[in-house]
Amino acid sequence: IDVELFEVYIDSEVDPILEITGSDDIPVIEIRSGKSENNSLMIGKKSGSKQVSIRNTIAIGNNSLQNANVGGESVIIGVNAMQNSTVTSNNVAIGFEALKNTNTLGNTSVGCKALTKAILAEANSAFGFLSLENLETGLNNIAVGFFSGQGFKNGNNNTFLGTQSALILENGERNVYVGARNKSSSSNV
């Protein structure tokens, strides 16, 4: 590839969306959205399709961040990740349908369907397949492990560590569950 000039334009009125520069030894590939003032990148069918002012955000995957129009400072990777969110700020969503429905900030979701139903949930962290999948409202909850806290719906300041920990607990405050397959429905185990 001749790296002296390679640019792709969608519209002649905006900056190039793909540019390869640099030298033959060290090519530099820069990809940016047509709205370069926002420093955001959206890749995938309908990814970020309704954005008005999304800044400093990366969304990769079909339907990722599809309905968001404002927000920023987020990383979204996965098909349907943060798909139904209209506002996003300071979130990390990695995995199929991760943080699919949230409209809040400061959540970290890594895993298929992790924190999928988090509508009014802030500062939560879910790592693992279906971890905190059903959390709707809550602050400062942490789940690590396959199905960890999957049945949990509402509450604050809870910690679930281990495969299937707190699998059937639905509500609570300041609970700590440690260990695999801890299925107690009681609080503060």
Side-chain angles (χ1 to χ4, degrees):
I1 293 178
D2 182 2
V3 295
E4 289 181 30
L5 181 61
F6 179 86
E7 297 178 346
V8 176
Y9 292 86
I10 287 182
D11 184 328
S12 61
E13 301 295 316
V14 298
D15 291 334
I17 60 164
L18 174 66
E19 184 175 6
I20 301 176
T21 60
S23 67
D24 289 334
D25 295 331
I26 306 173
V28 175
I29 300 173
E30 183 177 344
I31 303 173
R32 56 187 173 267
S33 70
K35 297 180 180 184
S36 61
E37 70 276 5
N38 293 335
N39 288 328
S40 292
L41 172 65
M42 311 294 170
I43 299 174
K45 186 176 180 181
K46 296 185 180 179
S47 177
S49 60
K50 295 186 180 176
Q51 72 156 321
V52 174
S53 180
I54 303 287
R55 64 199 176 283
N56 303 317
T57 294
I58 296 171
I60 300 172
N62 290 347
N63 304 319
S64 63
L65 205 60
Q66 179 181 354
N67 294 304
N69 51 36
V70 296
E73 294 74 43
S74 295
V75 176
I76 300 97
I77 301 173
V79 173
N80 300 336
M82 294 193 75
Q83 179 182 14
N84 297 324
S85 303
T86 56
V87 177
T88 179
S89 288
N90 306 305
N91 289 301
V92 175
I94 300 174
F96 176 75
E97 294 189 355
L99 277 172
K100 183 177 181 179
N101 297 302
T102 195
N103 282 311
T104 57
L105 60 91
N107 293 296
T108 302
S109 172
V110 179
C112 177
K113 294 192 175 187
L115 277 167
T116 296
K117 296 180 182 174
I119 297 169
L120 297 172
E122 292 185 7
N124 295 289
S125 298
F127 300 91
F129 178 73
L130 298 176
S131 60
L132 287 177
E133 176 196 21
N134 292 302
L135 180 70
E136 295 172 358
T137 59
L139 301 168
N140 305 318
N141 295 295
I142 298 171
V144 179
F146 179 80
F147 282 97
S148 184
Q150 189 215 5
F152 194 71
K153 293 180 180 179
N154 303 292
N156 305 319
N157 304 305
N158 296 286
T159 303
F160 310 129
L161 303 173
T163 297
Q164 297 180 345
S165 64
L167 186 62
I168 60 175
L169 180 68
E170 290 187 8
N171 303 294
E173 306 283 328
R174 297 182 187 93
N175 292 295
V176 177
Y177 281 70
V178 179
R181 294 174 181 77
N182 187 335
K183 296 181 182 179
S184 175
S185 61
S186 301
S187 294
N188 297 308
V189 174

mmCIF file of all heavy atoms in Angstrom, residues 54-79:
data_model
loop_
_atom_site.group_PDB
_atom_site.id
_atom_site.type_symbol
_atom_site.label_atom_id
_atom_site.label_comp_id
_atom_site.label_asym_id
_atom_site.label_seq_id
_atom_site.Cartn_x
_atom_site.Cartn_y
_atom_site.Cartn_z
ATOM 1 N N ILE A 54 -22.414 12.156 20.975
ATOM 2 C CA ILE A 54 -21.676 11.127 21.707
ATOM 3 C C ILE A 54 -20.205 11.471 21.531
ATOM 4 O O ILE A 54 -19.716 11.568 20.419
ATOM 5 C CB ILE A 54 -21.952 9.719 21.130
ATOM 6 C CG1 ILE A 54 -23.432 9.393 21.142
ATOM 7 C CG2 ILE A 54 -21.147 8.670 21.866
ATOM 8 C CD1 ILE A 54 -24.012 9.100 22.498
ATOM 9 N N ARG A 55 -19.486 11.648 22.621
ATOM 10 C CA ARG A 55 -18.089 12.060 22.512
ATOM 11 C C ARG A 55 -17.168 11.040 23.173
ATOM 12 O O ARG A 55 -17.539 10.380 24.138
ATOM 13 C CB ARG A 55 -17.899 13.442 23.117
ATOM 14 C CG ARG A 55 -18.166 13.467 24.584
ATOM 15 C CD ARG A 55 -18.447 14.832 25.181
ATOM 16 N NE ARG A 55 -18.772 14.632 26.577
ATOM 17 C CZ ARG A 55 -19.929 14.186 27.021
ATOM 18 N NH1 ARG A 55 -20.901 13.922 26.200
ATOM 19 N NH2 ARG A 55 -20.133 13.973 28.298
ATOM 20 N N ASN A 56 -15.960 10.921 22.625
ATOM 21 C CA ASN A 56 -14.917 10.073 23.181
ATOM 22 C C ASN A 56 -15.405 8.654 23.476
ATOM 23 O O ASN A 56 -15.172 8.108 24.545
ATOM 24 C CB ASN A 56 -14.345 10.702 24.460
ATOM 25 C CG ASN A 56 -13.819 12.095 24.212
ATOM 26 O OD1 ASN A 56 -13.160 12.336 23.207
ATOM 27 N ND2 ASN A 56 -14.124 13.019 25.093
ATOM 28 N N THR A 57 -16.095 8.068 22.519
ATOM 29 C CA THR A 57 -16.701 6.752 22.699
ATOM 30 C C THR A 57 -16.371 5.844 21.527
ATOM 31 O O THR A 57 -16.304 6.295 20.391
ATOM 32 C CB THR A 57 -18.232 6.902 22.849
ATOM 33 O OG1 THR A 57 -18.490 7.593 24.065
ATOM 34 C CG2 THR A 57 -18.937 5.566 22.873
ATOM 35 N N ILE A 58 -16.183 4.565 21.835
ATOM 36 C CA ILE A 58 -15.985 3.553 20.811
ATOM 37 C C ILE A 58 -17.115 2.548 20.927
ATOM 38 O O ILE A 58 -17.369 2.023 22.014
ATOM 39 C CB ILE A 58 -14.637 2.836 20.987
ATOM 40 C CG1 ILE A 58 -13.492 3.834 20.796
ATOM 41 C CG2 ILE A 58 -14.512 1.665 20.021
ATOM 42 C CD1 ILE A 58 -12.137 3.271 21.149
ATOM 43 N N ALA A 59 -17.824 2.303 19.837
ATOM 44 C CA ALA A 59 -18.887 1.293 19.799
ATOM 45 C C ALA A 59 -18.642 0.395 18.599
ATOM 46 O O ALA A 59 -18.603 0.861 17.469
ATOM 47 C CB ALA A 59 -20.256 1.951 19.703
ATOM 48 N N ILE A 60 -18.430 -0.891 18.862
ATOM 49 C CA ILE A 60 -18.145 -1.859 17.806
ATOM 50 C C ILE A 60 -19.116 -3.021 17.933
ATOM 51 O O ILE A 60 -19.203 -3.634 18.998
ATOM 52 C CB ILE A 60 -16.697 -2.372 17.893
ATOM 53 C CG1 ILE A 60 -15.705 -1.207 17.762
ATOM 54 C CG2 ILE A 60 -16.436 -3.428 16.825
ATOM 55 C CD1 ILE A 60 -14.267 -1.584 18.015
ATOM 56 N N GLY A 61 -19.831 -3.318 16.857
ATOM 57 C CA GLY A 61 -20.776 -4.428 16.843
ATOM 58 C C GLY A 61 -22.130 -3.986 16.331
ATOM 59 O O GLY A 61 -22.562 -2.866 16.606
ATOM 60 N N ASN A 62 -22.784 -4.840 15.582
ATOM 61 C CA ASN A 62 -24.108 -4.505 15.065
ATOM 62 C C ASN A 62 -25.038 -4.106 16.197
ATOM 63 O O ASN A 62 -25.083 -4.765 17.240
ATOM 64 C CB ASN A 62 -24.706 -5.674 14.290
ATOM 65 C CG ASN A 62 -23.991 -5.923 12.995
ATOM 66 O OD1 ASN A 62 -23.199 -5.101 12.526
ATOM 67 N ND2 ASN A 62 -24.262 -7.068 12.387
ATOM 68 N N ASN A 63 -25.736 -3.010 16.020
ATOM 69 C CA ASN A 63 -26.711 -2.471 16.977
ATOM 70 C C ASN A 63 -26.101 -1.968 18.279
ATOM 71 O O ASN A 63 -26.828 -1.616 19.197
ATOM 72 C CB ASN A 63 -27.813 -3.488 17.291
ATOM 73 C CG ASN A 63 -28.520 -3.977 16.061
ATOM 74 O OD1 ASN A 63 -28.817 -3.206 15.160
ATOM 75 N ND2 ASN A 63 -28.774 -5.267 15.982
ATOM 76 N N SER A 64 -24.784 -1.947 18.392
ATOM 77 C CA SER A 64 -24.187 -1.437 19.627
ATOM 78 C C SER A 64 -24.467 0.052 19.746
ATOM 79 O O SER A 64 -24.358 0.792 18.782
ATOM 80 C CB SER A 64 -22.686 -1.711 19.658
ATOM 81 O OG SER A 64 -22.022 -1.032 18.615
ATOM 82 N N LEU A 65 -24.901 0.480 20.899
ATOM 83 C CA LEU A 65 -25.207 1.883 21.182
ATOM 84 C C LEU A 65 -26.172 2.461 20.148
ATOM 85 O O LEU A 65 -26.122 3.621 19.808
ATOM 86 C CB LEU A 65 -23.902 2.694 21.239
ATOM 87 C CG LEU A 65 -23.908 3.971 22.052
ATOM 88 C CD1 LEU A 65 -24.241 3.685 23.503
ATOM 89 C CD2 LEU A 65 -22.585 4.669 21.948
ATOM 90 N N GLN A 66 -27.059 1.638 19.656
ATOM 91 C CA GLN A 66 -27.954 2.009 18.553
ATOM 92 C C GLN A 66 -28.836 3.221 18.853
ATOM 93 O O GLN A 66 -29.025 4.083 18.018
ATOM 94 C CB GLN A 66 -28.841 0.834 18.176
ATOM 95 C CG GLN A 66 -29.826 1.142 17.056
ATOM 96 C CD GLN A 66 -30.712 -0.040 16.724
ATOM 97 O OE1 GLN A 66 -30.535 -1.130 17.243
ATOM 98 N NE2 GLN A 66 -31.668 0.156 15.851
ATOM 99 N N ASN A 67 -29.420 3.299 20.036
ATOM 100 C CA ASN A 67 -30.404 4.337 20.335
ATOM 101 C C ASN A 67 -29.874 5.501 21.157
ATOM 102 O O ASN A 67 -30.625 6.405 21.501
ATOM 103 C CB ASN A 67 -31.610 3.709 21.038
ATOM 104 C CG ASN A 67 -32.346 2.767 20.114
ATOM 105 O OD1 ASN A 67 -32.758 3.154 19.033
ATOM 106 N ND2 ASN A 67 -32.472 1.515 20.508
ATOM 107 N N ALA A 68 -28.601 5.492 21.494
ATOM 108 C CA ALA A 68 -28.041 6.586 22.303
ATOM 109 C C ALA A 68 -27.901 7.843 21.468
ATOM 110 O O ALA A 68 -27.522 7.791 20.308
ATOM 111 C CB ALA A 68 -26.695 6.178 22.878
ATOM 112 N N ASN A 69 -28.207 8.973 22.095
ATOM 113 C CA ASN A 69 -28.023 10.227 21.378
ATOM 114 C C ASN A 69 -27.080 11.183 22.084
ATOM 115 O O ASN A 69 -26.525 12.064 21.469
ATOM 116 C CB ASN A 69 -29.363 10.899 21.056
ATOM 117 C CG ASN A 69 -30.257 11.029 22.252
ATOM 118 O OD1 ASN A 69 -29.795 11.257 23.351
ATOM 119 N ND2 ASN A 69 -31.545 10.885 22.043
ATOM 120 N N VAL A 70 -26.886 11.034 23.389
ATOM 121 C CA VAL A 70 -25.938 11.883 24.110
ATOM 122 C C VAL A 70 -25.130 11.050 25.101
ATOM 123 O O VAL A 70 -25.553 9.992 25.533
ATOM 124 C CB VAL A 70 -26.638 13.042 24.855
ATOM 125 C CG1 VAL A 70 -27.314 13.989 23.899
ATOM 126 C CG2 VAL A 70 -27.626 12.517 25.871
ATOM 127 N N GLY A 71 -23.970 11.560 25.463
ATOM 128 C CA GLY A 71 -23.124 10.904 26.439
ATOM 129 C C GLY A 71 -21.692 10.865 25.980
ATOM 130 O O GLY A 71 -21.295 11.567 25.053
ATOM 131 N N GLY A 72 -20.907 10.021 26.635
ATOM 132 C CA GLY A 72 -19.528 9.916 26.213
ATOM 133 C C GLY A 72 -18.661 9.110 27.151
ATOM 134 O O GLY A 72 -19.122 8.547 28.140
ATOM 135 N N GLU A 73 -17.378 9.066 26.766
ATOM 136 C CA GLU A 73 -16.352 8.380 27.534
ATOM 137 C C GLU A 73 -16.735 6.930 27.833
ATOM 138 O O GLU A 73 -16.666 6.467 28.956
ATOM 139 C CB GLU A 73 -16.054 9.122 28.843
ATOM 140 C CG GLU A 73 -15.420 10.483 28.667
ATOM 141 C CD GLU A 73 -16.369 11.568 28.175
ATOM 142 O OE1 GLU A 73 -17.512 11.643 28.655
ATOM 143 O OE2 GLU A 73 -15.955 12.332 27.281
ATOM 144 N N SER A 74 -17.157 6.205 26.813
ATOM 145 C CA SER A 74 -17.570 4.814 26.979
ATOM 146 C C SER A 74 -16.916 3.931 25.927
ATOM 147 O O SER A 74 -16.549 4.394 24.855
ATOM 148 C CB SER A 74 -19.096 4.686 26.861
ATOM 149 O OG SER A 74 -19.734 5.369 27.912
ATOM 150 N N VAL A 75 -16.799 2.642 26.267
ATOM 151 C CA VAL A 75 -16.303 1.634 25.334
ATOM 152 C C VAL A 75 -17.348 0.529 25.273
ATOM 153 O O VAL A 75 -17.698 -0.063 26.299
ATOM 154 C CB VAL A 75 -14.948 1.055 25.781
ATOM 155 C CG1 VAL A 75 -14.508 -0.061 24.855
ATOM 156 C CG2 VAL A 75 -13.890 2.142 25.858
ATOM 157 N N ILE A 76 -17.859 0.285 24.077
ATOM 158 C CA ILE A 76 -18.927 -0.689 23.876
ATOM 159 C C ILE A 76 -18.497 -1.635 22.763
ATOM 160 O O ILE A 76 -18.274 -1.192 21.637
ATOM 161 C CB ILE A 76 -20.259 0.006 23.498
ATOM 162 C CG1 ILE A 76 -20.702 0.962 24.602
ATOM 163 C CG2 ILE A 76 -21.336 -1.007 23.222
ATOM 164 C CD1 ILE A 76 -20.338 2.364 24.389
ATOM 165 N N ILE A 77 -18.381 -2.917 23.079
ATOM 166 C CA ILE A 77 -17.972 -3.898 22.080
ATOM 167 C C ILE A 77 -18.877 -5.115 22.196
ATOM 168 O O ILE A 77 -18.906 -5.766 23.237
ATOM 169 C CB ILE A 77 -16.503 -4.325 22.275
ATOM 170 C CG1 ILE A 77 -15.573 -3.106 22.173
ATOM 171 C CG2 ILE A 77 -16.113 -5.390 21.249
ATOM 172 C CD1 ILE A 77 -14.132 -3.387 22.519
ATOM 173 N N GLY A 78 -19.627 -5.411 21.143
ATOM 174 C CA GLY A 78 -20.485 -6.582 21.123
ATOM 175 C C GLY A 78 -21.800 -6.307 20.427
ATOM 176 O O GLY A 78 -22.321 -5.193 20.473
ATOM 177 N N VAL A 79 -22.329 -7.320 19.791
ATOM 178 C CA VAL A 79 -23.627 -7.199 19.132
ATOM 179 C C VAL A 79 -24.684 -6.884 20.201
ATOM 180 O O VAL A 79 -24.729 -7.515 21.251
ATOM 181 C CB VAL A 79 -23.984 -8.505 18.387
ATOM 182 C CG1 VAL A 79 -25.404 -8.459 17.845
ATOM 183 C CG2 VAL A 79 -22.984 -8.762 17.270
#
